[in-house]
Amino acid sequence: MDAIMLAAGNSARFGENKLLYPLDGKPVYRYMLELLYKKKKERQLEHIIVVSQYDEILKDVSEHFPGIRAVRNPEPEKGISVSIRLGTACLEQGDSDACLFAVADQPGFSEASFDKLVNFWRTHDYGIAASAAAVRPDAALEMKNPVIFSRKYYERLRSLTGDAGGKQVVRRNMEDTGLCALPLDELEDLDTREALAGFQRRRTFIREFPFLKEKGHAVSIVGAGGKTSLMNTLASCYARMGKRVIVTTTTHIYRPEYYPAAENLEQLHDLLEQHWIVAAGADAPQGKLCMSDNMLLSDYRKAADAVLIEADGAKHFPCKVPGETEPVIPKDSDIVIGVAGMDALGQPLADVCFRKEKAMELLGADEGHLITEKDLVKILLSTKGTRKCAGSREYYIVLNKCDHAEIMERAECVRKMLLQEGAEHVACISCQFSGV
């Protein structure tokens, strides 16, 4: 199999060249290029052609990726068909049975998805194999890039004109096309700055919370300073990776705005057939949900890929030391996340700590004491503080509301102190959930 990477777009909606935009220390186009090059070295790909109008990309390919052919597109204004024709023209002398067409602005496309797509092509009798994703579990798969075309389609690809891409060939040959289901988040084109910002946020979360890549976890969230926003953001990350997730509580949460709620198991299973995220609980006053009497955590774990549990209450305070019966962590929960808001720093204890009497007792301070970095470390690590009832479970710490550079700098200081005291997972984030 050969591959062509298309990297000649004008980035009109982005406002500047998105392919050269730095993402975690390297330009966006490099992610797909390095993946394809790795697969070439593993002999899963024979020839790779990169088509671009940009000197920086063409030079990088020529200097650092031996064996990859760099082809200049001198007429990018005439549409993507020019790049496709230039790329497929380079395949005429080869004898590969097919070519994978990839775009350069999908930095999230993973090696696992590459392997799944190629294996799908190899094990099905289709002339075309297209990546695809569903926005809901019950929705039809939507075709995305990359796409694999068998050799018999090369002439049709070379006949394209204007801004008509390979999807036009696919739509004319749907009876010969197979759709390979892959995670939506990996297939998103970064056409706008908003799309890039969302991708970067999710990328940060997946890096900080590696359990998001796995299934079967029941995650309890305790503490103060943004538990609900964190829970919703984690749920959204799961959903965009194609995982069904249940959000619930052992205390009270507001009925979610962005996804439906189930009050019994029958509703729960029905809703999970239609939605990636479903809340579970019983109706409570003031538009809230509380813990259900007729659904158990074991039911949730059987029904979904992950369960997220808000297991503590803090009345919107950024900091908390729990009372005698708090937090309420289910025994079957295997991960605990302790949260604190960085806006508690420098503020009087009485103003920012829920259960102020317990905070005064733990810190040995009066209610006028100004919360310091050391105070947050003590609260987050103490078994009388945020870590109470966590036991031997895997324990993550979130320093939330790192909304600007100064606060982030102070959060990094707290993070270093926590790690020195034995914490294993500490994330400094700004979690402001605005929709799934």
Side-chain angles (χ1 to χ4, degrees):
M1 182 178 292
D2 296 327
I4 295 174
M5 188 179 86
L6 305 172
N10 290 318
S11 307
R13 295 173 60 197
F14 196 83
E16 64 178 283
N17 189 344
K18 64 181 175 182
L19 301 183
L20 300 179
Y21 194 88
L23 179 62
D24 289 345
K26 61 184 175 184
V28 165
Y29 77 88
R30 264 268 183 162
Y31 289 86
M32 183 63 78
L33 179 59
E34 290 175 359
L35 173 58
L36 296 178
Y37 190 58
K38 182 176 188 292
K39 293 304 176 181
K40 185 178 188 301
K41 290 194 291 185
E42 293 174 356
R43 301 185 182 279
Q44 292 193 55
L45 293 173
E46 186 174 352
H47 302 104
I48 299 175
I49 298 97
V50 175
V51 184
S52 182
Q53 64 167 308
Y54 301 109
D55 291 336
E56 296 93 331
I57 297 177
L58 297 171
K59 181 179 179 182
D60 187 24
V61 171
S62 298
E63 292 183 354
H64 300 109
F65 296 88
I68 294 184
R69 184 170 178 179
V71 177
R72 180 179 297 279
N73 180 346
E75 301 176 304
E77 70 281 356
K78 292 185 178 180
I80 193 173
S81 62
V82 177
S83 291
I84 292 174
R85 290 200 304 272
L86 289 167
T88 52
C90 297
L91 302 177
E92 291 179 348
Q93 305 304 317
D95 57 2
S96 293
D97 57 346
C99 181
L100 181 145
F101 284 75
V103 291
D105 62 343
Q106 287 182 325
F109 192 73
S110 69
E111 182 175 359
S113 288
F114 177 97
D115 292 339
K116 183 178 179 180
L117 177 60
V118 171
N119 185 62
F120 179 89
W121 159 261
R122 297 294 186 200
T123 55
H124 291 78
D125 189 24
Y126 291 115
I128 302 170
S131 304
V135 294
R136 301 191 318 274
D138 64 341
L141 291 171
E142 295 183 11
M143 184 176 57
K144 304 284 186 179
N145 291 307
V147 179
I148 298 173
F149 291 93
S150 69
R151 172 171 286 276
K152 69 180 181 179
Y153 286 104
Y154 289 1
E155 185 59 38
R156 281 175 244 192
L157 291 166
R158 281 193 289 267
S159 68
L160 292 170
T161 60
D163 209 30
K167 288 182 180 178
Q168 185 175 109
V169 176
V170 175
R171 293 188 182 102
R172 291 173 179 171
N173 297 276
M174 288 303 298
E175 75 287 348
D176 194 28
T177 298
L179 300 179
C180 178
L182 297 173
L184 175 62
D185 208 41
E186 294 189 21
L187 305 182
E188 184 176 17
D189 299 329
L190 303 184
D191 289 333
T192 65
R193 289 187 177 276
E194 291 75 15
L196 176 64
F199 175 80
Q200 287 177 303
R201 283 194 298 271
R202 293 188 296 275
R203 187 179 181 86
T204 297
F205 267 73
I206 292 170
R207 182 174 60 245
E208 297 289 357
F209 306 105
F211 58 80
L212 287 169
K213 298 178 182 178
E214 303 163 352
K215 294 183 179 182
H217 293 297
V219 183
S220 292
I221 305 173
V222 300
K227 296 187 306 298
T228 302
S229 292
L230 175 64
M231 180 171 68
N232 287 333
T233 303
L234 292 172
S236 180
C237 289
Y238 272 124
R240 291 186 65 89
M241 290 188 285
K243 296 183 176 71
R244 289 176 171 85
V245 58
I246 293 169
V247 299
T248 188
T249 183
T250 55
T251 56
H252 291 83
I253 56 172
Y254 282 102
R255 181 176 284 271
E257 178 182 353
Y258 299 101
Y259 40 86
E263 298 180 24
N264 57 58
L265 279 177
E266 183 179 0
Q267 284 184 353
L268 183 68
H269 287 285
D270 287 345
L271 289 171
L272 283 170
E273 289 295 317
Q274 307 167 52
H275 304 273
W276 295 120
I277 308 171
V278 177
D283 270 332
Q286 299 178 327
K288 293 185 176 182
L289 294 176
C290 63
M291 186 166 55
S292 172
D293 291 329
N294 56 24
M295 292 185 286
L296 304 174
L297 179 57
S298 58
D299 297 322
Y300 300 154
R301 298 186 81 167
K302 291 176 184 177
D305 296 313
V307 184
L308 301 174
I309 308 150
E310 189 165 323
D312 211 354
K315 302 292 186 182
H316 304 292
F317 283 78
C319 185
K320 177 181 179 178
V321 174
E324 298 299 330
T325 59
E326 299 172 313
V328 186
I329 300 174
K331 67 176 183 177
D332 291 340
S333 176
D334 61 314
I335 294 174
V336 175
I337 302 178
V339 185
M342 289 299 298
D343 53 337
L345 284 177
Q347 301 300 312
L349 181 153
D351 293 346
V352 296
C353 287
F354 188 51
R355 308 284 188 227
K356 67 177 183 180
E357 293 81 6
K358 290 290 184 181
M360 291 164 60
E361 179 182 338
L362 178 63
L363 298 177
D366 60 37
E367 63 180 29
H369 171 75
L370 303 183
I371 297 297
T372 67
E373 286 85 350
K374 288 184 178 181
D375 294 332
L376 282 185
V377 170
K378 187 170 186 178
I379 291 170
L380 287 162
L381 289 181
S382 173
T383 54
K384 295 181 179 179
T386 313
R387 196 161 188 168
K388 184 184 175 189
C389 300
S392 60
R393 299 175 179 89
E394 194 167 11
Y395 182 59
Y396 287 76
I397 294 173
V398 169
L399 304 175
N400 196 18
K401 303 183 183 179
C402 300
D403 299 332
H404 53 80
E406 181 181 348
I407 291 295
M408 180 60 80
E409 185 176 347
R410 298 187 73 178
E412 286 293 341
C413 176
V414 177
R415 177 178 177 275
K416 290 177 182 178
M417 294 167 66
L418 286 163
L419 294 174
Q420 289 172 354
E421 292 295 323
E424 295 183 358
H425 310 284
V426 185
C428 303
I429 61 175
S430 178
C431 188
Q432 299 173 345
F433 183 77
S434 59
V436 179

